Amino acid sequence: MSNRTFTMIKPDATGKGNTGAILSMINAAGFRIVAMKMTKLSKEKAGEFYAVHAARPFYGELVEFMSSGPITAAILEKDNAVEDFRKLIGSTNPAEAAEGTIRKLYAASIGENAVHGSDSNENAKIEGDFFFSKLEQF
Ligand code: GDP
């Protein structure tokens, strides 16, 4: 699984109509989409997805935000997918994100930051399996 990562286009980017532009950047960077769906997380499901952050002060805000509107979830394939995708999305805080990154272009704040990208191969697998059954992963 080391050539796969997991992403979500978050509710802020969905609401602003940036889904297509972001998917286009993902494709242009050489990632192949091997699973994809548009869906909306309940508070319970958002809380479960981000359970690792439960002790952080921003957890409540994060769960509210991630359940506030539709998202697009996808599994992406490319050599060195996890690391290369983190480079493509840029720093968590868009004010610190490099020029040309997805967050620099489309994120408004450290909380509403347009996209998610897995931080390890292990989490990529866990997160992909959270949204997609085996039959939905190509
Ligand atoms: P990521 O791996 O770059 O997404 O960053 P983290 O794993 O540190 O945080 C997960 C998500 O929590 C981020 O993408 C943000 O949406 C949110 N987040 C992180 N820090 C803050 C914060 O200080 N305030 C708020 N409201 N949300 C935050």
Side-chain angles (χ1 to χ4, degrees):
M1 292 302 289
S2 62
N3 60 344
R4 290 191 170 194
T5 191
F6 171 79
T7 188
M8 287 184 283
I9 298 173
K10 296 185 178 183
D12 59 322
T14 307
K16 290 175 189 164
N18 291 328
T19 303
I22 291 170
L23 289 174
S24 178
M25 283 182 74
I26 290 170
N27 277 149
F31 293 88
R32 198 167 72 87
I33 295 166
V34 295
M36 186 163 74
K37 70 173 70 161
M38 193 168 183
T39 185
K40 186 168 182 287
L41 289 166
S42 62
K43 278 187 195 174
E44 189 191 8
K45 278 287 174 193
E48 202 183 313
F49 184 87
Y50 282 109
V52 66
H53 292 311
R56 304 270 201 103
F58 58 80
Y59 180 66
E61 260 177 46
L62 177 59
V63 168
E64 280 293 327
F65 165 58
M66 287 304 297
S67 58
S68 68
I71 58 141
T72 296
I75 299 174
L76 307 174
E77 190 171 77
K78 181 186 183 296
D79 287 349
N80 202 34
V82 167
E83 196 182 328
D84 286 1
F85 193 70
R86 296 286 299 191
K87 276 188 201 143
L88 179 65
I89 68 178
S91 300
T92 309
N93 185 349
E96 292 163 11
E99 288 299 328
T101 59
I102 293 174
R103 283 171 167 167
K104 182 72 178 183
L105 287 164
Y106 296 113
S109 67
I110 191 168
E112 306 206 354
N113 60 4
V115 280
H116 168 82
S118 305
D119 63 4
S120 67
N121 293 330
E122 188 192 7
N123 284 337
K125 167 88 174 115
I126 292 168
E127 293 169 0
D129 289 346
F130 184 91
F131 281 92
F132 300 102
S133 74
K134 276 189 187 144
L135 286 173
E136 297 170 320
Q137 301 184 29
F138 297 96

